């Protein structure tokens, strides 16, 4: 999971706005609330914990390279916060066995809570990366474990983290602008604040989930509270899946199929193909349908990431799908060819 997150963040460095993200991250300070400095792996530079969490969360999300568990994208927070906190405190998990074990325990604890909460709210208006409250809770849990907070303080950290859970807007998330980058990074900052407040003795409402006007009532149409059980017996981390290509998780098999076609046939020209039908599962179809919000704006990485026809079009054109194929320059240079492929591609829901 850590390798996937750092790899995604390294890929995100190709974005034009990456320098601006790092500039803000550096301004968050080397010491401050987070203690000493921690390492932002893609560049090797040290910055404050908040800076590492911001830069990693944003850039790892950039090309949709983030791994996934059942249910949720958890790594941008769970695989970053505990390691950064310990390194900043002088207990480098990469150099000290005891610190390493503390980081792993905190990471697993965060993933297990985040994944279960994602499953508990699966039937609702938000899904996938549109569950930023997972990162509020995950950062709070990770920090609580690193700091050794007792169960009461940890419960308060979770309650404070869920004081105002975010409900992101589809137009902002799917926008060709930079807003999507921060859908995990900003909530994680709130989670860190929640843990700091709980460590200082601030208390929170502990019935955030159970109250009839609480979290489940607001964020689900059918809550599955039993998902928040089985800790220590079942591990959502066992469902960890790492993406091979920079695209929505539900598009990965379509990309593989398109690559296989090109490998068998050699380079294909769109005008030599009458039609392409992509049989996809319900979730892939739902993501693709939401991408229509973007309309016919210019091709951008985010637009391709969430449009199944465009993802397949780029893959058929290039024979594969790499970050370099999604740069603004590459997309602009290939717009005509991608459009020729795109108008031949139809997505169909399949039960197979």
């Amino acid at each position: 999971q850590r390798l996937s997150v750092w790899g995604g963040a390294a890929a995100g460095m190709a974005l034009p706005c990456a320098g601006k993200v790092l500039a803000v991250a550096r301004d968050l300070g080397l010491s401050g609330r987070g203690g000493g400095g921690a390492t932002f792996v893609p560049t090797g530079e040290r910055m404050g914990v908040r800076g590492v969490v911001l830069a990693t969360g944003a850039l790892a999300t950039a090309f949709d390279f983030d791994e996934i568990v059942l249910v949720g994208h958890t790594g941008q927070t769970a695989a970053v916060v505990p390691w950064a906190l310990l390194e900043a405190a002088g207990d480098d998990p990469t150099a000290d066995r005891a610190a390493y074990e503390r980081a792993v325990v905190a990471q697993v604890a965060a993933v297990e809570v985040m994944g279960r909460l994602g499953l508990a709210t699966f039937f609702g208006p938000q899904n996938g990366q549109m569950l930023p409250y997972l990162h509020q809770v995950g950062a709070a849990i990770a920090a609580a474990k690193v700091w050794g907070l007792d169960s009461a303080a940890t419960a308060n950290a979770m309650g404070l983290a869920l004081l105002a859970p975010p409900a992101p807007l589809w137009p902002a998330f799917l926008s060709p602008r930079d807003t999507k980058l921060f859908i995990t990074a900003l909530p994680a900052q709130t989670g860190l604040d929640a843990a700091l407040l709980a460590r200082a003795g601030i208390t929170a409402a502990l019935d955030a989930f159970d109250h009839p006007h609480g979290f489940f009532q607001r964020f689900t149409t059918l809550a599955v509270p039993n998902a928040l059980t089985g800790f220590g017996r079942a591990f959502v981390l066992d469902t960890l899946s790492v993406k091979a290509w920079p695209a929505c998780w539900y598009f990965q098999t379509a990309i593989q199929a398109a690559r296989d076609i090109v490998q068998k046939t050699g380079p294909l020209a769109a005008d030599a193909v009458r039609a392409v039908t992509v049989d996809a599962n319900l979730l892939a179809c739902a993501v693709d349908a939401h991408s229509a919000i973007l309309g016919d704006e210019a091709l951008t990485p985010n637009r391709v990431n969430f449009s199944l026809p465009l993802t397949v079009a780029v893959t058929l054109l290039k024979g594969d799908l790499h970050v370099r194929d999604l740069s603004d320059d590459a997309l602009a240079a290939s717009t005509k060819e991608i459009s020729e492929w795109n108008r031949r591609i139809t997505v169909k829901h399949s039960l197979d």
Side-chain angles (χ1 to χ4, degrees):
Q1 188 177 42
R2 291 186 67 223
L3 287 173
S4 174
V5 170
W6 289 125
M13 292 291 292
L15 276 184
C17 70
K20 299 174 184 177
V21 174
L22 288 180
V24 172
R26 295 183 190 110
D27 283 346
L28 293 180
L30 192 64
S31 52
R33 296 182 184 177
T39 304
F40 176 65
V41 172
T43 63
E45 63 184 293
R46 293 175 69 82
M47 56 183 70
V49 169
R50 291 178 179 276
V52 171
V53 173
L54 178 77
T56 307
L59 297 178
T61 305
F63 289 100
D64 222 59
F65 244 147
D66 46 347
E67 41 59 55
I68 190 170
V69 300
L70 184 69
V71 173
H73 303 269
T74 61
Q76 296 101 314
T77 295
V80 177
V81 169
W83 300 81
L85 284 173
L86 283 164
E87 183 184 358
D91 299 319
D92 187 355
T94 64
D96 179 78
R97 180 69 186 183
Y100 172 83
E101 291 177 354
R102 289 173 64 196
V104 169
V105 169
Q107 178 178 338
V108 172
V111 172
E112 294 304 313
V113 173
M114 294 169 77
R116 282 169 166 79
L117 183 55
L119 182 57
T121 57
F122 183 80
F123 300 103
Q126 300 171 210
N127 205 274
Q129 291 173 330
M130 296 285 281
L131 303 176
Y133 46 75
L134 300 187
H135 297 272
Q136 290 179 317
V137 174
I141 291 291
K145 292 298 292 183
V146 166
W147 292 332
L149 302 189
D150 61 21
S151 59
T154 300
N156 282 319
M158 291 182 64
L160 289 163
L162 287 174
L163 169 65
L169 304 176
W170 281 107
F173 179 72
L174 292 174
S175 168
R177 313 301 183 261
D178 302 324
T179 45
K180 171 204 159 185
L181 302 185
F182 303 99
I183 198 161
T184 67
L186 295 182
Q189 305 286 329
T190 301
L192 283 171
D193 285 336
L196 284 165
L197 290 167
R199 186 172 67 168
I202 301 298
T203 59
L206 300 182
D207 57 353
F209 291 127
D210 304 323
H211 195 281
H213 297 287
F215 178 83
F216 286 139
Q217 188 273 336
R218 179 72 66 88
F219 285 92
T220 70
T221 52
L222 176 64
V224 188
N226 285 343
L228 294 168
T229 61
F231 290 98
R233 300 195 307 273
F235 291 86
V236 298
L237 197 52
D238 287 339
T239 68
L240 177 69
S241 296
V242 176
K243 295 178 181 178
W245 297 283
C248 175
W249 171 246
Y250 305 127
F251 298 175
Q252 299 291 304
T253 51
I255 297 168
Q256 178 70 67
R259 291 177 75 251
D260 290 346
I261 291 171
V262 177
Q263 287 175 4
K264 291 177 181 178
T265 65
L268 281 170
D271 58 11
V273 177
R274 181 180 302 170
V276 177
T277 300
V278 182
D279 287 344
N281 64 36
L282 180 63
L283 294 174
C285 292
V287 170
D288 181 64
H290 274 100
S291 72
I293 291 173
L294 295 175
D296 295 322
E297 294 191 38
L299 293 181
T300 62
N302 206 34
R303 185 178 173 197
V304 175
N305 281 160
F306 293 104
S307 166
L308 186 47
L310 286 174
T311 294
V312 172
V314 175
T315 306
L316 289 171
L317 175 65
K318 302 292 185 177
D320 208 334
L321 188 64
H322 294 287
V323 168
R324 63 175 176 267
D325 301 320
L326 298 176
S327 71
D328 290 339
D329 289 343
L331 291 174
S334 303
T335 295
K336 181 178 179 180
E337 294 90 341
I338 294 170
S339 298
E340 286 296 314
W341 274 112
N342 186 52
R343 67 186 184 85
R344 289 169 166 79
I345 298 171
T346 302
V347 176
K348 183 183 71 174
H349 178 221
S350 173
L351 296 177
D352 294 336

